[in-house]
């Protein structure tokens, strides 16, 4: 039986098109370790180390907070889910030109949606 953490880890791994073997190699653990984290973490006899958790986040290209599914800061509002937080952190890590391009794209899509609705 998977936990919320296990389901999140699996989803993040699959979104990045990584196999369990590839993620395990990047993190420095075995495939069975990744399987246990995704599918049956409560059955593991040892706790997952901070080093492994940090390596998982790094291999997935996210923060440890994102991996753990921590609640977004109040500044993002109560409706923000973990994917929104990941998107926002990625956005904020872009250079100014790329952020401006994203803003222009969003404005373009909003205008297109308004045209379709009206």
């Amino acid at each position: 039986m998977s936990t919320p953490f296990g389901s999140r880890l699996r989803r993040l791994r699959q979104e990045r098109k990584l196999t369990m073997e590839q993620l395990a190699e990047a993190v420095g653990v075995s495939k069975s370790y990744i399987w246990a984290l995704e599918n049956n973490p409560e059955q593991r006899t040892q706790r997952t180390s901070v080093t492994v958790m940090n390596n998982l986040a790094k291999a997935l290209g996210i923060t440890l907070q994102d991996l753990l599914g921590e609640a977004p800061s109040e500044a993002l509002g109560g409706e923000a889910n973990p994917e929104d937080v990941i998107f926002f952190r990625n956005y904020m890590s872009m250079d100014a030109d790329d952020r401006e391009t994203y803003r222009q794209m969003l404005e373009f899509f909003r205008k297109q949606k308004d045209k379709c609705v009206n």
Side-chain angles (χ1 to χ4, degrees), residues 12-20 22-23 59-60:
L12 290 165
R13 176 181 59 77
Q14 290 173 341
E15 285 174 356
R16 283 142 184 86
K17 300 187 182 346
L18 293 171
T19 64
M20 285 186 189
Q22 290 167 324
L23 182 58
L60 294 167

Side-chain angles (χ1 to χ4, degrees), residues 29-90:
V29 297
S30 67
K31 174 187 171 185
S32 62
Y33 192 99
I34 299 297
W35 185 93
L37 288 175
E38 288 185 4
N39 295 289
N40 215 0
E42 63 277 355
Q43 296 295 322
R44 297 191 66 255
T45 56
Q46 68 186 63
R47 294 188 183 261
T48 303
S49 73
V50 173
T51 301
V52 169
M53 294 299 284
N54 280 324
N55 289 346
L56 280 167
K58 184 177 177 180
L60 294 167
I62 59 174
T63 66
L64 185 56
Q65 292 82 6
D66 295 333
L67 177 62
L68 295 174
E70 289 186 3
S73 72
E74 290 181 24
L76 293 178
E79 294 180 23
N81 62 38
E83 289 77 17
D84 296 329
V85 176
I86 291 169
F87 177 86
F88 182 72
R89 286 186 181 135
N90 287 334

Side-chain angles (χ1 to χ4, degrees), residues 101-116:
T101 300
Y102 258 77
R103 285 190 292 271
Q104 290 173 5
M105 289 171 43
L106 287 171
E107 186 59 30
F108 173 79
F109 289 129
R110 270 192 222 122
K111 288 178 181 177
Q112 293 301 311
K113 183 178 178 184
D114 288 344
K115 285 180 184 179
C116 292

